[in-house]
Amino acid sequence: MANSIKNVVVVGASGSLGKEVAQELVKAGFNVTAFAREDTTATFPSNLTVKKVNYDSVESLTAALKGQDAVVSTIATVAVGNQGPLVDAAVAAGVKRFIPSEFGINTRIVGDDVIGQILVGKIKTLDYIIEKSKANPSFTWTGVSSGLFFDWGLKYGSVGFFKDSKTAIIYDSGNEPVQASNLAFIGKAISAILAQPEKTANQYISIASFNPTQNQILKIVEAETGEKWKVEHATTAEENKIGLEKLGKGDYSSFVNFLKRRVFSDGAKLAVEGDKNAIGVLGLQEEDLTASVKAWLSS
Ligand SMILES: NC(=O)c1ccc[n+]([C@@H]2O[C@H](COP(=O)([O-])OP(=O)(O)OC[C@H]3O[C@@H](n4cnc5c(N)ncnc54)[C@H](OP(=O)(O)O)[C@@H]3O)[C@@H](O)[C@H]2O)c1
């Protein structure tokens, strides 16, 4: 098939998400090349071809992308605004599909939410990709919103649960369903996107392993540990206030506060349930929430 995708570059394949995505792509039978910075200190598994690149040089990126069918960028948040040369090079090298480093909230629907000021690098990059795709129809794109990284977020606290102290921070009522995806699941979704290029071309999709509420997670951790956890209640209004204070001082760590407000607020309605969850189209099924929480508790 003329449009089939076989050779895939993962940009930032040494990262939290990139590592998992690269391995899921290998498992799905793609030939995977990892792009890394020239001065990276990362090490890579032997099943990946590694190319060290200069992300500022369209010329050298174009040469490195020759023969590649798709680029999956999982580049670090700090670098999302610098994907322009990579996009230009992908077009020049004849890459058929570009998946930019999105993988969080759906940046197409932020409207005038202040969080958009922080996500501007992602938003502008995708605008640019869409513009390039319109001018070069063989260059296609897919945007992926995954919601919160779930397994990563349990480990690093962004879901609000801390197993060492058996503490949960519950925002507002704790009853808002939250779009969340495990890292390997995002890799499986990307594999499914690339395996079905026509079906997934030029669209922004939202996926979720599941859409748990914080109170559902609390119930699971208490049942699994056999203990009541200490619950600290917080409000997303306060998170927003802290975020605005930080942003006023140019502190972009305010993203975390705005993110909590955006996803955990009562009535946020950002869960991707039923037809809103593109996993059906991709041929994937929701994951088991209890099993995911148990895996974290026993890790
Ligand atoms: N939904 C969520 O909960 C959530 C959480 C975290 C991140 N994210 C999003 O997911 C995507 C990937 O994030 P991540 O946390 O997996 O990334 P990461 O681990 O921070 O970084 C990925 C890779 O990017 C490369 N890199 C780091 N700094 C760079 C720079 N200044 N310039 C160019 N490359 C650089 C590094 O690879 P080399 O050293 O090999 O070059 C690094 O391993 C981002 O879009 C991020 O915003 C979402």
Side-chain angles (χ1 to χ4, degrees):
M1 202 169 112
N3 286 333
S4 76
I5 288 173
K6 190 71 191 155
N7 300 326
V8 181
V9 165
V10 178
V11 176
S14 60
S16 307
L17 178 62
K19 234 184 258 175
E20 304 267 355
V21 167
Q23 290 310 312
E24 290 301 325
L25 287 167
V26 169
K27 274 190 223 161
F30 294 100
N31 300 323
V32 182
T33 299
F35 272 15
R37 290 169 294 175
E38 283 164 333
D39 59 351
T40 186
T41 53
T43 53
F44 295 85
S46 58
N47 59 8
L48 304 179
T49 303
V50 181
K51 282 193 185 170
K52 298 208 174 159
V53 295
N54 173 356
Y55 289 119
D56 297 324
S57 164
V58 177
E59 206 184 345
S60 72
L61 287 167
T62 305
L65 285 170
K66 278 280 179 245
Q68 296 294 338
D69 300 312
V71 172
V72 179
S73 175
T74 62
I75 210 158
T77 310
V78 290
V80 290
N82 300 334
Q83 294 173 97
L86 197 58
V87 175
D88 289 342
V91 175
V95 165
K96 297 176 221 167
R97 178 63 49 90
F98 199 108
I99 300 181
S101 193
E102 287 276 321
F103 310 116
I105 66 173
N106 183 334
T107 62
R108 297 284 101 187
I109 58 165
V110 290
D112 56 5
D113 188 325
V114 67
I115 205 167
Q117 289 178 29
I118 303 172
L119 291 169
V120 70
K122 289 189 177 184
I123 295 168
K124 285 195 170 163
T125 297
L126 187 47
D127 288 347
Y128 186 61
I129 289 169
I130 293 170
E131 194 187 304
K132 288 283 166 192
S133 175
K134 282 185 180 151
N136 307 272
S138 60
F139 175 69
T140 62
W141 59 275
T142 311
V144 181
S145 160
S146 56
L148 286 183
F149 288 178
F150 190 69
D151 44 2
W152 182 93
L154 285 174
K155 193 169 167 188
Y156 293 109
S158 57
V159 185
F161 291 81
F162 303 87
K163 67 177 176 180
D164 291 344
S165 57
K166 295 202 170 59
T167 303
I169 302 174
I170 302 289
Y171 296 94
D172 294 356
S173 71
N175 287 327
E176 185 65 23
V178 176
Q179 178 195 6
S181 298
N182 288 318
L183 297 179
F185 183 80
I186 300 172
K188 287 185 176 67
I190 291 170
S191 299
I193 289 167
L194 297 180
Q196 305 168 83
E198 278 94 3
K199 215 172 172 182
T200 56
N202 303 333
Q203 42 189 294
Y204 196 98
I205 64 171
S206 292
I207 58 164
S209 290
F210 26 58
N211 292 273
T213 69
Q214 284 196 297
N215 285 334
Q216 282 168 343
I217 301 167
L218 180 62
K219 223 169 148 184
I220 296 168
V221 294
E222 291 188 336
E224 292 302 326
T225 58
E227 282 177 56
K228 279 273 167 214
W229 281 36
K230 186 175 162 214
V231 174
E232 292 173 7
H233 288 279
T235 69
T236 57
E238 181 61 16
E239 289 297 327
N240 195 50
K241 193 170 156 248
I242 298 168
L244 289 171
E245 280 162 14
K246 284 187 185 171
L247 189 62
K249 294 179 200 146
D251 177 355
Y252 287 93
S253 73
S254 53
F255 177 73
V256 174
N257 306 96
F258 293 133
L259 181 67
K260 284 174 186 161
R261 187 260 297 144
R262 189 162 172 92
V263 305
F264 293 127
S265 285
D266 288 339
K269 290 196 169 58
L270 290 171
V272 293
E273 291 163 318
D275 289 349
K276 285 187 184 164
N277 192 347
I279 59 172
V281 178
L282 298 178
L284 300 175
Q285 293 191 332
E286 277 202 8
E287 297 201 293
D288 183 331
L289 176 64
T290 304
S292 298
V293 174
K294 273 170 85 169
W296 166 60
L297 287 171
S298 62
S299 66

